[in-house]
Structure formats: structure tokens, C-alpha cells
Amino acid sequence: MPKARIAVDMDEVLADVQPKFLDLFEAAYGRRLSEAEYRGKKIYQVDGAVEIRNRLFDRGFFADLPLVEGCREALLELQREYELFIVTAAMEFRASLEDKYDWLQRHLPFIPWNHERL
């Protein structure tokens, strides 16, 4: 009997984009955002920071994101019982596809890029 399947989102679940957005905000505005300023919203939703979202379209944006703490161990545990699929908005951010593929191979090589049923 085949394993049940689970789809896991990549951005902000496996790949931590928050540190990069904080760095971009600091570089653009000369100050570090406090957590209270963006609590409950995306960093690029902070007043005056809308253009930071456009950096998501840059080639290389997704290449060096850190792994969310504990997610690798959680996925290894889940993989015992489930067939895992990683889902992401690579079509929305066209330049991100290669970065995201390479990122997954580097950080989570135990999750295959394809799933073949026998």
C-alpha cells in the first residue's frame, strides 16, 4: 500500500526569508526593523517598504536562505510514514526556480525531485 502524501510549503516553512527581508530593509532604510513593527504582517507590508517585495523576483534571492530551525529533523521523521512533496511559488517568481531547486538539493537531499510509483 502506498504511503499517504504530504505537501510542505518551502518559503517561510523550510526556507527562512525573514532574515533576508530584515537585511534588505536595513540596507534600504539604514535601520533594523523591530519585531513589533512587522508583527502580524510581512516585512514588505510595513509602511514605505513595498518595493522590498520586488527583490523576490531577483535571480539569487532564494539561493542563500537559511533553513528554518528543526524542519530538517521534522521532515526526516515525517518521511518514515509519508511521501513528502515540496511546493513553492516558483512560477510566480520566475528567476527563483533554479535557486530553489539547488537549495532543496543542498539542504534536503533526501526528498527526491520526482516520485515514481511502482
Side-chain angles (χ1 to χ4, degrees):
M1 176 177 226
K3 291 180 177 180
R5 295 175 170 182
I6 295 178
V8 181
D9 189 24
M10 183 175 172
D11 303 323
E12 298 180 287
V13 176
L14 305 175
D16 193 356
V17 284
Q18 182 175 319
K20 190 152 196 173
F21 276 131
L22 288 170
D23 291 346
L24 289 170
F25 186 94
E26 186 172 12
Y29 302 105
R31 68 180 188 84
R32 194 80 170 172
L33 273 176
S34 70
E35 189 176 325
E37 291 177 276
Y38 62 87
R39 185 173 294 123
K41 54 187 160 186
K42 306 282 187 189
I43 291 169
Y44 54 78
Q45 293 173 323
V46 171
D47 288 339
V50 172
E51 68 277 356
I52 288 176
R53 185 178 189 281
N54 291 334
R55 298 295 302 274
L56 290 165
F57 296 95
D58 294 350
R59 186 170 305 284
F61 179 89
F62 295 91
D64 60 352
L65 299 176
L67 192 65
V68 169
E69 186 177 335
C71 75
R72 179 177 170 63
E73 296 78 13
L75 291 174
L76 283 165
E77 185 67 28
L78 286 169
Q79 193 175 43
R80 292 180 181 180
E81 300 290 326
Y82 301 96
E83 186 175 16
L84 300 178
F85 290 83
I86 306 303
V87 295
T88 190
M91 297 303 286
E92 180 180 359
F93 307 109
R94 183 178 174 165
S96 74
L97 182 59
E98 187 174 355
D99 290 342
K100 289 182 175 196
Y101 177 85
D102 292 344
W103 188 95
L104 287 165
Q105 292 301 302
R106 186 170 51 257
H107 291 287
L108 306 170
F110 56 90
I111 299 176
W113 67 271
N114 65 346
H115 292 265
E116 297 179 20
R117 297 264 182 181
L118 297 176

